[in-house]
Structures are given as structure tokens and as C-alpha cells.
Amino acid sequence: MQNNEDKFKKIIAHAKEYGFVFQSSEIYDGLSAVYDYAQNGVELKNNIKNYWWKSMVQMNENIVGIDSAIFMHPTVWKASGHLGAFNDPMIDNKDSKKRYRADVLVEDYMAKIEAKINKDISKARKRFGEAFDENEFRTTNGRIKDRQSKIESISGRLYGAMEAEDLKAIKTLIEDLEIVCPVSGSKNWTDVRQFNLMFSTQMGSVSEDADEIYLRPETAQGIFVNYLNVQKTGRMKIPFGIAQIGKAFRNEIVARQFIFRMREFEQMEMQFFVRPGEELKWFEHWKKRRIAWHKALGIPEENYRFHDHEKLAHYANAASDIEYQFPFGFKELEGIHSRTDFDLSAHQKFSNKKLQYFDPELNKSYVPYVIETSIGLDRMFLSILSYAYKEEKLIDGSMRVVLAIPPVLAPVKAAILPLTKKDGLPEKAREVMNTLKQDYLCQYDEKDAIGKRYRRQDAIGTPYCITVDHQSLKDNTVTIRDRDSMQQERIDISKLSEIIKEKLSIKFY
Ligand code: ATP
């Protein structure tokens, strides 16, 4: 059986081989943590965006969309706290010259202890068989108890130091644990320093009057500074929401795991403006709505879980992540945050402009509270690929690689395949293609044996293959093959578009 690391490597290789994701600037050996979406990737990405946009903007009469600029006035980032506090602690190894996130070094150390615990547990499970009680084993086995308490003590020191922004204490912790650089193997560390995650650049062509501006690290601030413009021009009444899809940039110190953590990525964010005091009710509402959106795709429920935050960011009074089980474990896919009035009040203070809403029902003005739903488009893309990639053994003993992408998100919806290249079949297939491409992205393919053509479509996740054969010329029917079941049915060409529409339909939440 292949392990998850192997599966992840295969997914990355498949994404490249079949035109989903390429490393940026590959001919120059690539740019770290920056990726390009290829011909199939961009379709999948656009379909995810559409699925999100429809469910937010089309399905909710009180949510509208915007598309704000990536560049914003530099004071935005002072007000939002990103200039002062959007930092990660970093540390360099003087021998290898490699840079690490100091907290990640300690977290990796804890993960190793955790792995030892898990190894002991799985050994014991094998030994005791049916009778094994994991809980009892954890609470009674001396070695496991020692290891668990070591983890607790390290995590207490780490998160305490992070909270207090005590960089010296983080360094001392790394020294006490005798953590070595994975590359040089040495303990020759620099001090821990704060590293701001925002990319900056200069605006203005003459350097003397140049002003330092930033590439936005989140799309949310473009919504906050526009909320009153939208409210007034759209005659919106609280509660209402503003949705946006766009690029965000973070100079991540440790960028790894393919498109999971990138330096340039895309977010789909929605800020929902509510009456103060009603935010926790809306927080629960959006948690339910968002998980339903994920589950409607038909991916197994056990692949998702909530992780409620105990430690909250300075601006939040409730926060929960939707985590997805990636090949490298459960990790954050989407955040749902109750951001209070932190951002709007800060912008009111820094801009000296009133950002209050007049509530006609209450007959008073206030700064609204905000519930945010924020999902990384690239992480959503990776979750779909991770679920979809399957290696299947067929009845005849051969293997196929299939991407079981939910049909509504699949890059190409149908392939039109003449059984042979002669007898007028290509002409008939072209007719079908010309009609269907009015409604769906289709591919026409007449090269190679039909089985090989099916495999090519399976590998990019095309849900339906339509084969034009000799019978088609006689009675105007074709066969339609379902990607997952590989079953074929014969249908009238005039009904094709309608049948595909039915198959692609999805209920929006
Ligand atoms: P993490 O803890 O993984 O760094 P975060 O808590 O900083 O994420 P948020 O600031 O809440 O993330 O951003 C909202 C969403 O944007 C995340 O849930 C994630 O899907 C996505 N996201 C954040 N950083 C990145 C990144 N570097 N690359 C790709 N997606 C990202």
C-alpha cells in the first residue's frame, strides 16, 4: 500500500503532467512557492470560483460582490495592524545559511515526539488486538505519559513566548531542546527576529517622492474601506455581506507543501456586517452554511472537521477553521471569524471619517460587527485534487488513473470521440461537438484507440465521454460513458445537452 507521502508526490507529478499546475518560471529553475495554473488548472480554478460566487452572491439577496485593487493606501495596513503585528518569528542557521520559522522548528520537534507516541500505540494495538483500549493505554503507560507531558510543557513555553512576543524565550527553548538544523546538523543559531510577511514596493517613478506601498496580504481590507460606499450605492440594510475573490501576497518564511502555502495566492472572502451583539448568532449561521457548501460537492464528510480556536487573534471574539484531510494531515482550508468592529473602528480612527451605519429600525447609528468567511482558492483546489486522484485496478487487470473531480468543477465537461477516423464518423462527431460547445467546454479527440482516449479523459477528470459510432449515422444516437462507473448508455443526440445539464446540476447552499 502506498503511503500518503507517495500519494502526495504522485498528485504533484500528475498536476504537472496533465496541465493543471506548473512551477513558476520553470525554465529558470522555478521561483520558490510561486505556481502557474495551466490549461486544465485554470478551468478547475474558475469553476471553483463560480461555485463560490454563485452560492454567495447569486443565492443571497443581501450579499453583493466587489473587486478592489491590490494596492491600497499604506495607512490601511497601519490601521489593520498588519504593519505592526503581521510577523512570524524567524531564525537562521549560521552554518547552512538556511532560514526557518522558529515556532515551526519547535512544532516539528513536538511532532516527532507525537510520532513516537503513535508508534507505541500502533505496536500495542497489534499486540493486544481487539481488547486494546487506546485511552487506557495513553493514561497508564509510563513512557507515553512522560512524552505527553513533555509535549505539554514545550507547547506551554512556546505559545506563552509567542503570545508575549518574547523572542529571547523562543531562542532559549530551541537551545534547551537542542534542536539542530535539518541541513547542517548544527546548533549554531542566530537570535530569533520578527519578520514581516508583507511584500513592499515603491509607488512613483522618481525615487525621492516614492512612497512605500504593500501588496495586500488579505483581500478583506478592500471590503472594509468600501463598505459604506457599497451600503449607500446598493441601498443595503444590515445584515448584509460583501464578497470578493482576489490575489493576496505573503512572504512566507517556510513555504512548502506545493500550493498549500504560497507567496502569491488567491482568497475568496466574504464580510458580513451585523448589529453589535448579534455577531455570535451569525457566526454560528455562517459556520453551518460554509460546511454545507463543502459537503454539497459529495466529498466524504469525514474529510472535513471544525477546529475551534481557543486562542483568538486580537481582533476576534470567536473563530473556527474548517480543516481538510490533505495527504499531509488535517490542515486549515477556510477560516470563519467573528472580527467584532475591530477593522471598521480602526479605519474610522486612522482616516478620521465616520464609518457608522444608520439603522432605521433601531433609529440609531453604530459601527457594525463583522463575521468573515475566508477560504484559500488554491487550498480548495488542492483539496479537490487530493480527493479526486485515484488509481484503480480494472477487471481486465489493467490500471487507470482517474480524477474523480465533482462534475460541476471538472475542467472539461465532455469529450466527443468518433469511434474510427473514417466512414463519416468524424463529421458526425464534429456536428455533436459544435452543438455541445455552445453550453460546455468540450474536447474533440479522434487519435488512438478508444480505450486510450477514455484513459486520457479520466486523467483530467472529464465526467462524460460521448462516442459516435456507426449506429449514430443510422439513428442519431450516441453512447455516453460515465467517468466513475465507466457505464455507458445510448441516448438520442438531441437530448445530450439536457442530460449533461441534469448530471452537472448541484444544489446551492
Ligand atoms: P495559516 O495558519 O495556514 O498560515 P492563516 O490562519 O494565516 O493560515 P488566514 O489569514 O485566516 O490564514 O487566511 C484565510 C485563508 O487564506 C486560509 O484559510 C487559507 O486557505 C488561505 N491562505 C492563507 N495563507 C495562504 C498561503 N500562504 N498560501 C495559500 N493559501 C493561504
Side-chain angles (χ1 to χ4, degrees), residues 9-156:
K9 279 190 190 142
K10 284 185 177 170
I11 292 169
I12 297 171
H14 191 87
K16 182 180 171 193
E17 191 179 343
Y18 286 91
F20 283 84
V21 182
F22 300 147
Q23 173 82 59
S24 158
S25 323
E26 197 191 64
I27 58 167
Y28 294 100
D29 296 333
L31 185 63
S32 158
V34 186
Y35 291 91
D36 296 338
Y37 285 86
Q39 67 278 15
N40 290 317
V42 70
E43 296 296 338
L44 172 55
K45 208 172 165 194
N46 282 341
N47 293 340
I48 296 173
K49 285 189 205 177
N50 272 338
Y51 176 50
W52 186 85
W53 193 265
K54 266 194 183 169
S55 105
M56 282 295 177
V57 177
Q58 189 171 315
M59 297 303 294
N60 292 290
E61 291 163 39
N62 60 350
I63 297 182
V64 291
I66 63 165
D67 181 19
S68 69
I70 287 170
F71 291 140
M72 300 184 76
H73 193 285
T75 312
V76 165
W77 307 113
K78 262 190 209 151
S80 69
H82 283 85
L83 259 182
F86 195 50
N87 300 316
D88 278 339
M90 64 167 192
I91 191 166
D92 292 349
N93 183 269
K94 289 184 198 161
D95 297 319
S96 68
K97 309 271 185 280
K98 289 273 173 208
R99 176 162 292 171
Y100 299 93
R101 250 175 75 174
D103 54 332
V104 173
L105 279 180
V106 179
E107 279 171 355
D108 285 351
Y109 184 91
M110 290 191 284
K112 277 188 196 141
I113 306 178
E114 187 80 52
K116 282 185 188 152
I117 295 179
N118 289 336
K119 207 169 161 190
D120 277 354
I121 288 177
S122 74
K123 265 195 207 152
R125 177 170 287 120
K126 264 194 206 136
R127 193 157 14 107
F128 294 113
E130 291 270 295
F132 182 66
D133 179 340
E134 180 177 329
N135 210 16
E136 195 189 320
F137 189 68
R138 276 181 183 275
T139 43
T140 51
N141 181 287
R143 202 156 66 168
I144 289 194
K145 275 181 15 195
D146 284 352
R147 286 188 170 138
Q148 197 56 48
S149 74
K150 191 166 180 200
I151 291 179
E152 274 153 30
S153 132
I154 297 171
S155 107

Side-chain angles (χ1 to χ4, degrees), residues 86 101 217-218 250 252 259-267 269 309 315 321 332-335 337 372 374-380:
F86 195 50
R101 250 175 75 174
E218 62 176 24
R250 295 183 188 179
E252 302 277 2
I259 55 172
F260 180 81
R261 190 175 297 285
M262 303 156 90
R263 299 209 161 96
E264 173 179 344
F265 58 101
E266 241 173 305
Q267 290 184 314
E269 295 199 301
H309 290 210
Y315 53 74
D321 295 337
E332 174 177 344
L333 172 61
E334 169 159 8
H337 310 125
E372 153 182 275
S374 174
I375 173 168
L377 176 52
D378 314 86
R379 283 192 193 176
M380 180 71 190

Side-chain angles (χ1 to χ4, degrees), residues 155-182:
S155 107
R157 280 178 70 185
L158 174 66
Y159 297 117
M162 295 278 285
E163 192 112 302
E165 288 187 35
D166 186 346
L167 302 180
K168 277 213 177 89
I170 302 177
K171 167 96 189 265
T172 310
L173 180 58
I174 289 174
E175 285 170 343
D176 289 352
L177 297 174
E178 302 192 342
I179 294 177
V180 298
C181 165

Side-chain angles (χ1 to χ4, degrees), residues 334-380:
E334 169 159 8
I336 298 145
H337 310 125
S338 172
R339 288 178 82 129
T340 68
D341 60 350
F342 173 83
D343 302 85
L344 290 179
S345 293
H347 287 306
Q348 187 165 260
K349 190 167 134 220
F350 278 79
S351 68
N352 257 327
K353 304 267 164 29
K354 268 212 158 125
L355 293 181
Q356 291 191 336
Y357 166 83
F358 176 72
D359 191 324
E361 275 172 40
L362 300 181
N363 199 25
K364 69 172 193 189
S365 296
Y366 52 81
V367 175
Y369 271 43
V370 173
I371 305 300
E372 153 182 275
T373 72
S374 174
I375 173 168
L377 176 52
D378 314 86
R379 283 192 193 176
M380 180 71 190

Side-chain angles (χ1 to χ4, degrees), residues 268-483:
M268 306 192 285
E269 295 199 301
M270 194 279 296
Q271 312 288 328
F272 199 69
F273 301 90
V274 304
R275 279 184 188 154
E278 293 190 356
E279 70 276 11
L280 293 179
K281 175 183 96 186
W282 286 109
F283 174 70
E284 290 305 325
H285 168 89
W286 280 108
K287 270 179 74 174
K288 282 200 197 97
R289 289 283 304 274
R290 292 307 302 147
I291 196 75
W293 180 86
H294 287 281
K295 290 182 177 169
L297 287 171
I299 294 171
E301 300 209 352
E302 60 270 21
N303 287 12
Y304 300 91
R305 73 177 187 200
F306 276 115
H307 169 234
D308 294 328
H309 290 210
E310 275 154 31
K311 285 205 188 76
L312 294 168
H314 56 286
Y315 53 74
N317 69 356
S320 186
D321 295 337
I322 294 177
E323 295 185 335
Y324 183 80
Q325 187 164 27
F326 290 97
F328 39 86
F330 270 103
K331 290 270 158 37
E332 174 177 344
L333 172 61
E334 169 159 8
I336 298 145
H337 310 125
S338 172
R339 288 178 82 129
T340 68
D341 60 350
F342 173 83
D343 302 85
L344 290 179
S345 293
H347 287 306
Q348 187 165 260
K349 190 167 134 220
F350 278 79
S351 68
N352 257 327
K353 304 267 164 29
K354 268 212 158 125
L355 293 181
Q356 291 191 336
Y357 166 83
F358 176 72
D359 191 324
E361 275 172 40
L362 300 181
N363 199 25
K364 69 172 193 189
S365 296
Y366 52 81
V367 175
Y369 271 43
V370 173
I371 305 300
E372 153 182 275
T373 72
S374 174
I375 173 168
L377 176 52
D378 314 86
R379 283 192 193 176
M380 180 71 190
F381 185 109
L382 184 58
S383 73
I384 298 292
L385 268 196
S386 317
Y387 159 72
Y389 182 89
K390 294 185 169 50
E391 291 172 359
E392 287 179 355
K393 196 164 184 183
L394 304 180
I395 307 169
D396 66 2
S398 65
M399 293 290 294
R400 74 160 181 167
V401 172
V402 57
L403 290 187
I405 299 174
V408 67
L409 302 182
V412 176
K413 301 298 189 220
I416 324 296
L417 316 168
L419 191 60
T420 64
K421 259 198 261 183
K422 46 185 203 276
D423 303 335
L425 296 186
E427 288 75 9
K428 186 76 183 166
R430 279 272 171 217
E431 261 174 47
V432 176
M433 173 79 184
N434 288 338
T435 315
L436 272 193
K437 76 181 183 192
Q438 298 273 345
D439 299 320
Y440 311 106
L441 183 63
C442 300
Q443 272 185 6
Y444 175 88
D445 189 4
E446 57 178 29
K447 202 172 173 301
D448 299 319
I450 192 80
K452 216 167 177 189
R453 282 182 271 165
Y454 285 155
R455 289 297 100 77
R456 273 206 288 272
Q457 295 301 330
D458 288 344
I460 63 166
T462 306
Y464 307 110
C465 283
I466 293 151
T467 306
V468 174
D469 54 16
H470 291 90
Q471 193 176 329
S472 312
L473 301 177
K474 287 187 209 134
D475 63 4
N476 219 34
T477 61
V478 287
T479 61
I480 180 166
R481 169 190 179 267
D482 180 271
R483 174 196 66 200

